[in-house]
């Protein structure tokens, strides 16, 4: 993996108000698009709610080329933070499997509500 453009880009959860392309999200997180795709693959195969957030195509498969939802962007910012801390994708995969609630839609909504309280 290439070094990050900004070392601290994934220190905090990312909350967006709009769907974002992988290229745009990679820029926001200060990483190469290929790095973001690696993180996206980790999340796609291990986090059911992340996978379910993709729209379905007519044939029933997931449209992985569609823009990422704000929830998916939040998950990828967390995966990025884990990659910075744990350094190896195997460790990140293991963490996700042991702590699926850290990436749930419920955790996302809860964190979003806490952020709204701070801003109010």
């Amino acid at each position: 993996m290439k070094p990050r453009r900004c070392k601290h880009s994934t220190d905090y959860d990312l909350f967006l108000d709009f769907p974002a392309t992988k290229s745009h999200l990679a820029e926001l997180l200060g990483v190469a698009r290929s790095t973001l795709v690696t993180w996206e693959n980790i999340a796609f195969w291990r986090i059911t709610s992340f996978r379910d957030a993709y729209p379905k195509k007519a044939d029933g498969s997931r449209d992985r080329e569609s823009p990422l939802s704000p929830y998916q962007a939040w998950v990828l910012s967390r995966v990025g933070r884990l990659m910075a801390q744990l350094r190896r994708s195997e460790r990140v995969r293991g963490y996700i499997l042991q702590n699926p609630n850290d990436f749930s839609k419920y955790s996302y909504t809860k964190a979003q509500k806490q952020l709204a309280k701070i801003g109010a």
Side-chain angles (χ1 to χ4, degrees):
M1 260 194 257
K2 294 179 183 177
R4 295 175 187 214
R5 287 179 226 134
C6 177
K7 261 186 158 178
H8 304 289
S9 60
T10 56
D11 286 356
Y12 303 101
D13 289 345
L14 178 66
F15 293 95
L16 298 178
D17 294 332
F18 54 89
T21 64
K22 289 178 187 154
S23 297
H24 181 69
L25 188 56
E27 190 166 320
L28 289 174
L29 295 173
V31 297
R33 188 181 185 284
S34 59
T35 299
L36 188 81
V37 169
T38 299
W39 298 352
E40 186 262 345
N41 275 315
I42 290 170
F44 184 83
W45 295 110
R46 282 157 194 84
I47 304 168
T48 305
S49 54
F50 181 89
R51 185 172 44 251
D52 290 345
Y54 280 103
K56 285 192 177 182
K57 294 181 183 178
D59 65 3
S61 65
R62 305 281 178 202
D63 182 6
R64 292 181 71 181
E65 294 178 16
S66 68
L68 298 166
S69 71
Y71 162 70
Q72 289 171 311
W74 174 80
V75 168
L76 292 178
S77 71
R78 288 188 149 209
V79 170
R81 185 167 47 251
L82 284 173
M83 286 298 291
Q85 293 169 346
L86 302 176
R87 301 276 182 209
R88 299 191 142 294
S89 57
E90 301 85 36
R91 294 178 190 147
V92 172
R93 289 182 194 116
Y95 180 90
I96 291 170
L97 291 175
Q98 291 176 352
N99 302 282
N101 291 336
D102 288 358
F103 305 92
S104 69
K105 277 218 168 184
Y106 173 79
S107 294
Y108 168 70
T109 305
K110 185 177 168 185
Q112 220 177 10
K113 286 179 182 175
Q114 288 175 340
L115 185 64
K117 284 182 187 177
I118 292 170

